[in-house]
Amino acid sequence: MTKISRTAFLWFRSDNRKSKIQNPKWLRIVAIVVTFVFGGVAVEAQQPARIPRIGILFTSSASSQSARVEALRRRLRELGYVEGKNIVIEYRYAEGKLERMPDLAAELVQLKVDVIVTAPGPGALAAKKASATIPIVFTDAADPVGTGIVSSLARPGGNITGLSVMGPDLDGKRLELLKESFPKVARVALLWPSGGPSGNLVLTDMEAAAKALGLKLQSLPVRGLDDFDSAFARAKRDGAQALITTPSPLINTQQRQVLDFAAKNRLPAMYQTSEWVEAGGLMSYAPNFADLWRRAADFVDKILKGTKPADIPVEQPMKFEFIVNLKAAKQIGVTIPPNVLVRADKVIR
């Protein structure tokens, strides 16, 4: 019983209650008080709880990210969040047009979402610039500290945290697997995004890995969509014998063009995610990105329950996959050695 209702009740039981009850004026007053007190309590009890809203921000298209989004949604359901029932998800896709990212991030901020889940690079940086208060979870950052997304892995700071893919370390492992698969290859073309927040770190790390393996690395930097044709022309002119790509939203937007170039020129190629192999590429070695997006749901759950992003350490991948496409190998006329093939987590035949 509220303080007001208790006061009204005690007043009604006072010694002079008979005279008050017999007075029509007092009866009206009592009726108004009772209606106000108990009616107000009923209205308050009927007010529905606010449904949390999650914003998802991608640089690419919905079709290319469907498996990752479904992994996130499935884990959210396991945690008790059912889309359309007790949680709302707002989706924004830049369709490869990176210049749209700031506007899409601003839209999510205007919708007052409770947390933004995004891929790294343009997505995380756009979301971070759009809001210094809305929690942000990135899913597969190659170097979140080096690019300035977080202060450190253990203590991210600010309103952002997430999962890292250990990009520089993985690039070296990809090059090693490529060399094992094709021992006669001596010159490898590296398609990589230049001018990004991490500068030439990708090229520096790959050059060190190539030197250790006795390989000559041919740099093919791209800054925009107009750079791909000239990069491919240089690869052909300088006699590239194989191709390796690095994680990049820009390169992802040109997946079909890159795959066609490798197939047409019969270049063995190592790609940065399994989606490339499933789309017709030769091989990939990478974290299981569906697992990263699944684990991102746990970050969202912690944040919705009150944990600050600054207090949630950035996590590393737990699952890695080496995938080989034998159809692609046959198309370009190469053979994957049995000792390499047996190590594959998945073989597309």
Side-chain angles (χ1 to χ4, degrees), residues 7-266:
T7 300
F9 180 72
L10 292 175
W11 172 84
F12 185 75
R13 294 188 57 188
S14 62
D15 291 339
N16 57 354
R17 61 186 177 275
K18 277 188 178 182
S19 61
K20 290 176 179 175
I21 291 175
Q22 293 170 354
N23 189 327
K25 179 181 179 181
W26 283 108
L27 286 173
R28 286 195 298 272
I29 294 175
V30 170
I32 292 171
V33 170
V34 170
T35 300
F36 172 77
V37 172
F38 293 100
V41 171
V43 170
E44 184 178 351
Q46 292 173 2
Q47 289 181 348
R50 182 181 180 277
I51 298 179
R53 301 171 76 91
I54 298 176
I56 294 184
L57 182 62
F58 273 113
T59 57
S60 51
S61 64
S63 59
S64 66
Q65 303 298 335
S66 59
R68 302 183 188 187
V69 172
E70 182 53 35
L72 174 76
R73 294 167 59 185
R74 189 181 304 117
R75 178 56 179 160
L76 285 172
R77 288 194 293 269
E78 292 173 1
L79 294 168
Y81 302 99
V82 180
E83 187 177 3
K85 184 177 180 181
N86 61 356
I87 198 167
V88 174
I89 302 180
E90 299 285 350
Y91 302 90
R92 294 296 184 274
Y93 298 92
E95 304 290 342
K97 299 176 182 178
L98 304 185
E99 66 276 9
R100 296 184 59 202
M101 295 302 289
D103 290 338
L104 295 178
E107 286 182 17
L108 294 175
V109 172
Q110 290 173 0
L111 290 172
K112 297 181 179 180
V113 295
D114 296 278
V115 57
I116 296 174
V117 183
T118 183
L125 293 174
K128 187 176 181 180
K129 187 175 181 179
S131 176
T133 56
I134 294 177
I136 301 165
V137 176
F138 56 80
T139 55
D140 45 302
D143 184 15
V145 177
T147 55
I149 297 175
V150 297
S151 300
S152 71
L153 299 184
R155 301 184 66 83
N159 62 321
I160 188 166
T161 186
L163 298 114
S164 168
V165 296
M166 303 165 57
D169 296 333
L170 286 179
D171 283 339
K173 181 65 176 179
R174 293 185 185 104
L175 201 58
E176 180 182 335
L177 284 169
L178 188 62
K179 177 64 175 177
E180 279 190 64
S181 301
F182 308 100
K184 294 183 179 180
V185 166
R187 190 177 184 86
V188 179
L190 168 66
L191 187 65
W192 65 285
S194 65
S198 58
N200 294 335
L201 182 61
V202 170
L203 179 61
T204 302
D205 289 337
M206 288 294 284
E207 284 178 335
K211 184 177 181 180
L213 293 168
L215 295 171
K216 175 66 177 179
L217 196 69
Q218 179 188 1
S219 174
L220 301 178
V222 288
R223 297 176 66 98
L225 300 179
D226 296 334
D227 295 333
F228 283 83
D229 286 341
S230 59
F232 296 150
R234 288 198 306 274
K236 292 176 61 177
R237 182 191 64 213
D238 296 339
Q241 297 172 302
L243 174 71
I244 187 168
T245 65
T246 63
S248 160
L250 173 62
I251 294 175
N252 287 342
T253 65
Q254 301 302 298
Q255 182 188 83
R256 188 72 264 157
Q257 186 180 358
V258 176
L259 291 174
D260 289 345
F261 168 76
K264 182 179 179 181
N265 292 276
R266 296 180 174 271

